[in-house]
């Protein structure tokens, strides 16, 4: 069966404050480490009331320290917000501390609104526009030491210099990202859970155009999907009601903590709002394990991912853990000895 991984947003709810959400992430990582999940990635978001972690590198170290088997990484570091040297140093440190267990996933977006993005970058430089490719090239050069002769950075070394950068993955939700990952020969993770671009086309484009590199000899595509599993379809639908209302509010620019099931079920939807929820449901897989497997299989067959990454953002932490347990059983994961 296809390997499973986790994408974690450290979800803040109306009943779980940000500090508790960070502790929940550590607890969930321990849980899925024992279930046989192969990867645990942390996202970077800023000024978003429903996401507690703006610094995945800090969370990676905390989670890697309390787990044993699972790879831990960023899903991802939003490279426009960071000097490439800083990213290189921090992930070399993580790789030195947890050799062979760290991933460096990179995103093109700032992961926030314009004002916050400016605050994050205002002391870095004043460049405008998309400079992701320039930053990615510089990050690679810190590893390869391939700066041109006479370049001032030739006298700067990213420490620890006896440790390589961990594997680099490019994150995306478009054809551009899949094409770039293929051209530079890196791993690729497609964000189906919020993308408007077709996942099947993105994965096929990546695989067909992949060029072997010093980073990877063969392509490796991860398909990230949102899923809510429960013992029954009805129970899963109830849990997903929080995500439905949260998504509706986000579409209106209301970035609030995840509402409770009770609040979501009591909400009086208009016909237009119900139609919007149904459109969003095309990116959310909800039901019993059998139902989710039946819904996911056509996409898995068509897109041929090497790995499936699951994001489950429900209100109740125990229900979230249960969802991952049910999916592990459904996909036949081999349980591991937890840390």
């Amino acid at each position: 069966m296809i390997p499973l991984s986790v994408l974690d947003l450290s979800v803040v709810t109306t009943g779980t404050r940000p500090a508790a959400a960070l502790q929940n992430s550590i607890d969930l990582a321990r849980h899925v480490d024992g279930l046989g999940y192969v990867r645990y990635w942390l996202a970077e978001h800023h000024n978003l009331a429903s996401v507690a972690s703006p610094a995945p590198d800090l969370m990676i170290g905390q989670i890697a320290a309390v787990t044993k088997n699972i790879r831990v990484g960023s899903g991802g570091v939003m490279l426009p917000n960071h000097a490439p040297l800083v990213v290189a140093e921090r992930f070399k440190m993580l790789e030195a501390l947890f050799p062979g267990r760290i991933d460096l996933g990179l995103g093109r977006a700032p992961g926030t609104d314009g004002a916050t993005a400016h605050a994050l970058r205002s002391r870095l430089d004043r460049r405008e526009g998309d400079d992701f490719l320039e930053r990615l090239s510089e990050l690679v050069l810190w590893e390869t030491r391939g700066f041109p002769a006479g370049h001032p950075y030739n006298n700067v070394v990213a420490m620890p210099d006896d440790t390589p950068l961990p594997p680099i993955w490019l994150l995306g939700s478009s054809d551009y990202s899949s094409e770039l990952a293929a051209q530079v020969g890196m791993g690729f993770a497609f964000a189906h859970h919020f993308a408007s671009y077709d996942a099947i086309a993105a994965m096929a484009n990546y695989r067909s155009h992949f060029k072997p590199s010093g980073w990877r000899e063969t392509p490796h595509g991860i398909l990230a999907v949102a899923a809510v599993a429960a013992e029954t379809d009805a129970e899963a639908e109830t849990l997903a009601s929080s995500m439905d209302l949260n998504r509706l509010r986000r579409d209106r620019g209301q970035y609030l903590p995840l509402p409770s099931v009770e609040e979501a079920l009591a909400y009086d939807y208009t016909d237009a709002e119900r139609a919007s929820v149904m459109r969003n449901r095309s990116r959310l897989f909800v039901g019993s394990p059998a139902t989710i497997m039946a819904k996911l299989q056509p996409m898995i067959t068509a897109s041929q991912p090497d790995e499936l990454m699951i994001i489950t953002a429900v209100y109740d932490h125990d229900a979230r853990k249960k969802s991952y347990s049910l999916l592990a059983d459904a996909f036949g994961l081999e349980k591991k000895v937890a840390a």
Side-chain angles (χ1 to χ4, degrees):
M1 299 293 284
I2 188 170
L4 295 187
S5 295
V6 176
L7 176 61
D8 180 20
L9 300 183
S10 300
V11 178
V12 180
T13 77
T14 54
T16 306
R17 302 307 301 154
L22 295 175
Q23 295 296 328
N24 283 346
S25 289
I26 293 173
D27 182 60
L28 179 62
R30 285 196 186 102
H31 178 66
V32 298
D33 188 31
L35 294 175
Y37 284 79
V38 298
R39 212 178 300 275
Y40 195 101
W41 280 5
L42 291 305
E44 175 186 340
H45 288 284
H46 302 272
N47 193 31
L48 195 58
S50 59
V51 179
S53 175
D57 53 329
L58 295 181
M59 288 299 292
I60 289 168
Q62 293 296 312
I63 287 173
V66 299
T67 54
K68 181 178 180 180
N69 305 295
I70 201 166
R71 295 187 67 93
V72 191
S74 55
V77 167
M78 298 295 104
L79 194 53
N81 299 334
H82 308 282
L85 175 58
V86 173
V87 176
E89 290 175 332
R90 291 180 179 178
F91 277 82
K92 279 174 168 283
M93 284 185 66
L94 288 167
E95 180 66 22
L97 292 168
F98 308 101
R101 290 185 57 210
I102 305 299
D103 293 323
L104 173 52
L106 300 173
R108 291 174 58 212
T112 188
D113 58 276
T116 307
H118 183 271
L120 287 164
R121 298 185 61 180
S122 62
R123 294 296 182 269
L124 292 178
D125 57 52
R126 298 290 180 180
R127 287 174 290 181
E128 301 293 335
D130 185 350
D131 62 353
F132 175 80
L133 193 54
E134 178 184 345
R135 288 173 182 264
L136 176 63
S137 298
E138 183 182 324
L139 176 63
V140 169
L141 287 171
W142 287 117
E143 176 68 9
T144 63
R145 305 302 305 158
F147 292 106
H151 196 286
Y153 289 176
N154 278 322
N155 297 319
V156 182
V157 177
M159 294 294 289
D161 62 351
D162 62 344
T163 303
L165 275 176
I168 296 179
W169 302 77
L170 299 190
L171 282 56
S173 57
S174 68
D175 56 340
Y176 173 87
S177 301
S178 63
E179 182 70 28
L180 178 58
Q183 291 298 316
V184 297
M186 294 176 178
F188 175 57
F190 183 78
H192 172 269
H193 56 292
F194 66 79
S196 57
Y197 190 77
D198 180 58
I200 297 169
M203 298 297 281
N205 186 50
Y206 167 67
R207 195 171 301 281
S208 64
H209 291 92
F210 182 85
K211 296 180 178 179
S213 71
W215 299 99
R216 296 198 66 88
E217 287 294 323
T218 57
H220 190 109
I222 299 175
L223 180 62
V225 299
V228 179
E231 295 285 359
T232 66
D233 289 352
E235 183 183 353
E237 288 289 340
T238 299
L239 293 172
S241 64
S242 294
M243 299 175 72
D244 290 337
L245 180 56
N246 187 59
R247 181 69 197 194
L248 180 66
R249 287 171 169 171
R250 289 189 64 176
D251 288 346
R252 295 172 171 174
Q254 299 172 356
Y255 296 93
L256 303 172
L258 189 73
S260 68
V261 166
E262 291 76 16
E263 181 182 354
L265 293 177
Y267 185 85
D268 187 17
Y269 287 91
T270 67
D271 289 343
E273 288 172 338
R274 290 189 185 282
S276 178
V277 166
M278 291 308 298
R279 286 193 297 272
N280 288 327
R281 276 298 188 96
S282 67
R283 295 191 291 264
L284 177 60
F285 299 88
V286 180
S288 67
T291 297
I292 288 181
M293 292 288 284
K295 291 179 178 178
L296 273 174
Q297 196 56 56
M299 178 175 290
I300 293 172
T301 300
S303 61
Q304 292 293 300
D306 298 286
E307 191 174 320
L308 200 64
M309 183 168 278
I310 309 293
I311 173 172
T312 302
V314 295
Y315 183 85
D316 182 77
H317 180 60
D318 287 336
R320 187 181 184 210
K321 292 169 67 175
K322 179 68 171 178
S323 180
Y324 281 108
S325 295
L326 291 170
L327 290 175
D329 289 341
F331 279 87
L333 299 191
E334 182 180 347
K335 288 181 170 59
K336 307 289 185 180
V337 177

